[in-house]
Amino acid sequence: MKHPLSQFGYCPKCGSADFGTNDEKSKKCAGCGFVYYFNPSAATVALILNKRQELLVCRRAKEPAKGTLDLPGGFIDMDETGEEGVAREVREETGLEVEQASYLFSLPNIYIYSGFPVHTLDMFYLCKVAGDGRLSAMDDVDEAFFIPIGQIRAEEFGLDSIRKGLKKFLSGGLFVNL
């Protein structure tokens, strides 16, 4: 896979085409001297368990990995905290309201969006939701439902970071005594 910086041909500050490699993480404009560092985008993942120790999962309605299982989450908007971002994504995708979001861990990822590799830092949150758990599949979710923890098979999830995160969550006993 080509480095994502190779797809940036012009300086974002002055528009010069003399925008070349500075090092493995940045490009520099020979015209104005601006150095652009390619950093990951922040993304969230929600781990939501009900009282029966079932995990909320979603089926993806769009590419990448359309039709496979996923967890609620997505990109954080500007001026949002991770907790605000995960709560918004859960609301947009499932209709549930997050009462509490507790940060667990993060994993680096490459998410292919419209053929473009977006480097992300996926932050996993254990979320407590309000109400009786009535679900609605919305936004980029085809369906949302709960699966007993013992029946979760990471290989059924289409995105690499979600599979890795689920394995870490389940093997680390991070869901015990909730």
Side-chain angles (χ1 to χ4, degrees):
M1 178 181 301
K2 291 188 329 187
H3 193 286
L5 279 174
S6 67
Q7 297 184 51
F8 292 87
Y10 298 92
C11 174
K13 185 175 178 184
C14 73
S16 171
D18 201 1
F19 189 55
T21 301
N22 188 46
D23 59 32
E24 72 273 358
K25 296 187 290 184
S26 66
K27 289 186 96 169
K28 184 174 184 177
C29 179
C32 71
F34 177 72
V35 177
Y36 176 76
Y37 288 91
F38 191 81
N39 296 310
S41 295
T44 62
V45 179
L47 294 152
I48 301 170
L49 293 164
N50 64 18
K51 292 183 185 343
R52 295 180 300 278
Q53 292 293 291
E54 296 170 320
L55 181 68
L56 175 62
V57 300
C58 301
R59 189 163 310 279
R60 294 183 62 82
K62 298 178 182 176
E63 294 297 346
K66 180 180 178 179
T68 64
L69 295 182
D70 198 1
L71 295 173
F75 290 102
I76 294 177
D77 289 343
M78 286 195 237
D79 298 323
E80 255 183 346
T81 66
E83 293 79 6
E84 291 167 343
V86 76
R88 177 186 47 75
E89 287 288 345
V90 167
R91 185 175 50 259
E92 288 175 359
E93 294 180 351
T94 70
L96 297 175
E97 291 294 328
V98 172
E99 289 183 334
Q100 181 180 356
S102 301
Y103 174 79
L104 296 175
F105 57 87
S106 62
L107 294 171
N109 185 33
I110 298 176
Y111 181 83
I112 306 300
Y113 181 77
S114 296
F116 183 80
V118 179
H119 289 248
T120 65
L121 180 62
D122 295 350
M123 297 177 287
F124 288 73
Y125 287 88
L126 184 60
C127 297
K128 180 180 175 187
V129 294
D132 59 6
R134 288 192 186 157
L135 299 171
S136 299
M138 304 181 298
D139 196 27
D140 54 356
V141 171
D142 193 38
E143 64 178 321
F145 52 95
F146 284 93
I147 296 180
I149 286 287
Q151 294 178 18
I152 300 288
R153 291 189 301 281
E155 64 273 8
E156 293 180 1
F157 291 76
L159 301 175
D160 188 51
S161 69
I162 300 298
R163 287 191 301 272
K164 288 178 184 174
L166 271 173
K167 288 176 184 175
K168 182 175 179 125
F169 178 69
L170 296 171
S171 70
L174 298 172
F175 60 90
V176 178
N177 298 323
L178 297 175

